């Protein structure tokens, strides 16, 4: 079932300020500019729900959206943005680390990966960390419209190879484009699955 209603609830700078953890929650994370906010807008069918920008670092806080009066969708600030000062980066680290490890109602994390890039340490290290912490996650490949189908498939295969060398089971992977709507149904189905288990 696709998303019918999406409302912005609040922005928080620490997880303790987040809305009461009374509903299941799914968070979108990934490097700056990977397309988190765009994907949230594509998924909810609301062009301006989450703020999108060509300039990395647009999303700075933990943003909660209430979906279908049933679950929270969370837009997180991106990691690996070189122009952010070291102090800001460690603030980011602390905020996200605490949110991901302490948020009781977090049922899944979507890690967004730019499909055009070869596996990057900043992403694979983050994935490794999620795995070690036992935080459930899926990989969402973004901007599929920017290159050929073959290239998209070979990018995903590269990730599978890297992850297979570290883990016995692979996380779910979904190929998406916020531009064309590719992957919307798969992502919606996967969210519904997460909400049911
Ligand atoms: P931060 O909030 O800075 O961490 O970035 P973000 O991950 O939320 O990225 P955002 O959605 O703001 O998108 C960054 C840029 O990529 C914008 O210029 C978008 O228009 C563009 N973009 C995002 N998704 C897609 C996509 O699927 N296809 C194409 N062609 N462009 C995209
Ligand atoms: Mg954003």
């Amino acid at each position: 079932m696709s998303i019918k209603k999406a409302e912005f609830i609040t922005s928080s700078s620490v997880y303790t300020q987040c809305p009461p953890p009374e509903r299941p929650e799914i968070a979108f994370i990934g490097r700056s500019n990977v397309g988190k906010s765009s994907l949230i807008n594509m998924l909810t069918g609301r062009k301006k729900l989450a703020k999108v920008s060509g300039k990395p670092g647009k999303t700075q806080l933990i943003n909660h959206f209430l979906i279908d009066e049933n679950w929270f969708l969370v837009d997180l600030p991106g990691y690996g943005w070189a122009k952010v000062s070291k102090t800001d980066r460690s603030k980011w680290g602390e905020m996200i680390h605490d949110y991901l490890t302490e948020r009781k109602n977090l049922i899944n994390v979507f890690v967004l990966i730019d499909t055009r890039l070869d596996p990057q340490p900043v992403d694979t290290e983050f994935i490794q960390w999620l795995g070690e912490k036992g935080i459930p996650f899926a990989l969402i490949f973004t901007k599929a419209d920017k290159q050929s189908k073959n290239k998209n498939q070979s990018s995903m295969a590269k990730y599978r190879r890297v992850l297979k060398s570290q883990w016995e089971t692979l996380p779910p992977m979904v190929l998406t484009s916020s531009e064309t709507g590719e992957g919307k149904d798969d992502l919606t189905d996967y969210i519904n699955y997460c909400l049911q288990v």
Side-chain angles (χ1 to χ4, degrees):
M1 208 173 52
S2 62
I3 290 171
K4 298 213 165 44
K5 194 171 170 192
E7 313 156 66
F8 171 71
I9 301 295
T10 189
S11 297
S12 323
S13 57
V14 281
Y15 86 93
T16 47
Q17 281 174 0
C18 292
E22 289 158 353
R23 305 163 186 280
E25 182 159 314
I26 296 177
F28 288 64
I29 198 164
R31 12 160 110 209
S32 276
N33 224 35
V34 68
K36 299 175 291 295
S37 301
S38 303
L39 189 70
I40 289 168
N41 293 342
M42 184 269 262
L43 202 60
T44 55
R46 294 266 308 273
K47 280 201 178 103
K48 291 185 179 158
L49 188 68
K51 290 192 188 100
V52 169
S53 170
K55 244 177 44 200
K58 181 72 188 166
T59 311
Q60 300 266 359
L61 297 165
I62 304 170
N63 296 296
H64 275 78
F65 301 90
L66 178 61
I67 307 298
D68 292 334
E69 291 173 13
N70 180 31
W71 58 280
F72 288 128
L73 184 159
V74 173
D75 188 14
L76 293 169
Y79 53 75
W81 178 35
K83 278 190 188 146
V84 170
S85 72
K86 261 204 177 136
T87 348
D88 278 355
R89 244 182 286 169
S90 60
K91 248 196 269 164
W92 181 92
E94 205 179 311
M95 167 167 101
I96 300 303
H97 174 277
D98 291 353
Y99 167 79
L100 291 172
T101 53
E102 302 295 335
R103 188 75 173 151
K104 299 272 178 289
N105 56 333
L106 185 65
I107 58 167
N108 210 286
V109 177
F110 285 151
V111 182
L112 275 68
I113 310 274
D114 188 324
T115 316
R116 296 168 298 173
L117 302 178
D118 280 344
Q120 307 280 312
V122 67
D123 293 317
T124 53
E125 283 164 15
F126 179 65
I127 291 166
Q128 178 80 12
W129 180 82
L130 284 174
E132 282 164 8
K133 292 279 173 197
I135 299 168
F137 67 93
L139 300 187
I140 311 298
F141 291 86
T142 65
K143 308 191 185 184
D145 59 287
K146 291 227 182 197
Q147 63 177 14
S148 71
K149 283 189 176 156
N150 278 345
K151 281 205 169 137
N152 286 337
Q153 290 311 321
S154 79
S155 296
M156 290 170 76
K158 280 183 196 162
Y159 257 93
R160 273 190 212 100
R161 273 201 294 280
V162 170
L163 295 178
K164 259 190 193 157
S165 67
Q166 295 164 331
W167 301 94
E168 271 174 33
T169 47
L170 289 175
M173 293 186 178
V174 184
L175 181 64
T176 66
S177 162
S178 301
E179 211 49 41
T180 66
E182 179 172 357
K184 184 177 178 177
D185 291 348
D186 289 345
L187 210 50
T188 308
D189 287 350
Y190 184 67
I191 289 171
N192 288 329
Y193 164 78
C194 292
L195 291 169
Q196 276 159 21
V197 289

